Amino acid sequence: MIKISTCTASYEGMGKTNEYEHRLELLEQSLKALKKHGVKLAVFPGGYFYAGDNAQAKEIAHELHGLAKSHTLNIAVGIDTKEKFSKGFKGELKKGELPFFACVCMHESKAPELWAQRSITRKIYSETAQGCYQESRTIDIEGIKIEVLMCGEIFNAQIREVIISRKTNVIVDLAHISDKFRIYGTMKNLAKRGIRSFCSVHTQRKSAMKACYLPCKQHGYMRKSDNRIDVSIGASPRLEHAIWEI
């Protein structure tokens, strides 16, 4: 059994390159606090950092990897960039070049992973570049297989089926914002297929609801949700972390 943490972050500084240092400081404070609770993977929202371009996103990833090593704590966090994109992202979808990334830093690895988001919504996932569905974005922590998804990827049925076929244990979703939070239905369906799912997201609500979905023999799924805060860091933005045992 291991512990992971999810984070609800308020919007202040989201989408601003000049807020990088402040958000980085809060992330490191979070790592220090979560480490004391025995957390093995700290999950932050999509778009937590905003880079000027893809090259800067890579620089940020390497700096985060240094933090993961120094704190011996694995990190999954979203980095968006200011790269230009076409209307509706269709060009980027077909090329696999969306300007949104999941940065994964394993403290025992030699380098960070920087995975571009492959799909956006349930309606246009068919535009996703062929071959992207098969990509493994799985990390292994003490024998538990955890798939890292970026925001709208969780709505992509083909991506989900590949993940299920790999006998993944857990999905963590790096969501951008909690607008109507449509993700719950998909998380429920994943639980029915035997996969636990967790989500980090930006929201302006204080003490926002934190939820996960777990497989359950009686009903096929079980929702665990509350507004508890195990670790709270900062005020603007405010980072609220919930810790889960899996």
Side-chain angles (χ1 to χ4, degrees), residues 138 145-147 163-171 194-195:
T138 307
K145 295 166 65 177
I146 303 172
E147 188 85 7
I163 292 171
I164 292 166
S165 71
R166 286 201 290 262
K167 301 187 185 305
T168 302
N169 303 118
V170 176
I171 283 176
I195 298 178

Side-chain angles (χ1 to χ4, degrees), residues 133-135 157-168:
Y133 305 122
Q134 300 296 328
E135 291 180 10
Q158 289 167 287
I159 290 176
R160 293 200 307 270
E161 288 303 317
V162 170
I163 292 171
I164 292 166
S165 71
R166 286 201 290 262
K167 301 187 185 305
T168 302

Side-chain angles (χ1 to χ4, degrees), residues 5-9 22-39 41-45 48-49 67 71 73-75 230-234 237-243:
S5 65
T6 55
C7 173
T8 53
H22 179 52
R23 281 188 159 230
L24 181 67
E25 181 182 351
L26 295 178
L27 182 142
E28 184 167 19
Q29 290 177 23
S30 297
L31 297 182
K32 291 177 181 177
L34 294 168
K35 176 75 175 179
K36 294 177 181 178
H37 287 268
V39 169
L41 174 66
V43 183
F44 294 82
Y48 181 80
F49 292 117
L67 289 181
H71 294 285
L73 179 52
N74 305 307
I75 305 168
D230 294 313
V231 171
S232 181
I233 301 293
R238 180 185 63 258
L239 309 187
E240 298 177 355
H241 301 275
I243 297 171

Side-chain angles (χ1 to χ4, degrees), residues 60-130:
I60 291 172
H62 282 282
E63 185 164 9
L64 293 171
H65 190 243
L67 289 181
K69 282 185 168 296
S70 64
H71 294 285
T72 59
L73 179 52
N74 305 307
I75 305 168
V77 59
I79 304 175
D80 290 354
T81 79
K82 291 175 67 176
E83 295 284 349
K84 293 182 180 179
F85 49 81
S86 60
K87 185 177 181 180
F89 300 106
K90 289 191 175 182
E92 289 73 25
L93 278 167
K94 290 179 179 178
K95 296 177 184 177
E97 297 177 354
L98 285 168
F100 318 118
F101 297 89
C103 174
V104 177
C105 303
M106 305 297 288
H107 69 82
E108 293 184 341
S109 68
K110 294 181 179 179
E113 298 285 359
L114 197 60
W115 291 318
Q117 186 171 330
R118 295 163 290 181
S119 185
I120 300 177
T121 68
R122 183 181 287 110
K123 293 181 180 179
I124 61 172
Y125 73 75
S126 60
E127 301 287 343
T128 301
Q130 294 302 311

